Amino acid sequence: GIKQGRIAYQNLRKVIYLLVSTGAGEVLLFLAAVTVNLPIPLLAVQLLWLNLVTNGIQHIGIAFEKGEPGVMNHPPRKPDEGIFNGLMIKETVLIGVTMATICFLVWLWQISHNVPVPEARNQLLLLMVFLENYHAFNCRSETISVFRLPLQSNIILLLGVFGALGIHLVSMYIPFMQKVLGTQPVSLKEGLILIALASSVMIVSEIFKLIQRITIK
């Protein structure tokens, strides 16, 4: 019972971490764009799509994590400790700032190079989807490397991530969704560049986790 209680509490933290950190990234991106008088990066319907559809599918998978190795080796948490403890605050701020910085620099480059705003938004939206895909795997543990957690231990998350990505890719080719979301297909080169840029959120998370493990020791 104690083990299952700890796993449930950890999974709750992971879901909140995923949702709040990505939301923080979006807010910081908009604040940065408005501050330097750039066009609004994403439309309201695109934000809803990100938060309710693509990210909404992935956080369900996080809730089905089976528990991290050594879950019973941790000391009991303090009864008065909230979910947003020091670790949660640090990692949420770090990932939020990372996502916002990547997206802002891409947005700034696009606008400064006279990329049409609708086309730039389409690429930025896809970049955000890729960032959320990577970050969903980051959220499987707050301290353990993503590469030490077997993918087969949470097939639901794996299906959720690829399902969310698949839904968005399909939306880029369906005329009705293109009209509603302002999406359009991107070239293979553009897609690969966005995938590479989005991977930086996983690199930052891995460095943070490594520092946490060294500090704890």
Side-chain angles (χ1 to χ4, degrees), residues 81-140:
E81 179 181 275
I83 288 181
F84 277 93
N85 60 4
L87 175 59
M88 176 72 86
I89 293 173
K90 286 188 289 186
E91 60 191 5
T92 299
V93 171
L94 176 64
I95 296 301
V97 170
T98 299
M99 286 186 169
T101 301
I102 296 168
C103 291
F104 175 74
L105 291 177
V106 170
W107 184 243
L108 180 62
W109 185 92
Q110 291 171 318
I111 300 302
S112 63
H113 285 73
N114 298 316
V115 177
V117 172
E119 181 181 339
R121 283 189 178 130
N122 175 60
Q123 294 185 21
L124 190 66
L125 180 61
L126 181 58
L127 174 60
M128 285 295 297
V129 172
F130 285 142
L131 283 166
E132 291 179 352
N133 292 157
Y134 277 112
H135 189 43
F137 291 109
N138 288 339
C139 295
R140 296 189 66 193

Side-chain angles (χ1 to χ4, degrees), residues 143 211-217:
T143 55
I211 294 173
Q212 284 295 121
R213 293 195 297 271
I214 294 174
T215 303
I216 292 174
K217 290 180 180 179

Side-chain angles (χ1 to χ4, degrees), residues 24-37 41 104:
E26 293 167 3
V27 171
L28 292 174
L29 168 63
F30 271 73
L31 289 176
V34 170
T35 300
V36 297
N37 295 317
F104 175 74

Side-chain angles (χ1 to χ4, degrees), residues 169-185:
L169 293 178
V170 168
S171 75
M172 296 166 64
Y173 291 88
I174 298 178
F176 172 75
M177 297 302 294
Q178 289 175 338
K179 183 177 180 180
V180 172
L181 294 175
T183 57
Q184 58 184 332

Side-chain angles (χ1 to χ4, degrees), residues 193-205:
I193 291 174
L194 294 177
I195 290 173
L197 289 172
S199 68
S200 57
V201 76
M202 180 172 284
I203 295 172
V204 170
S205 178

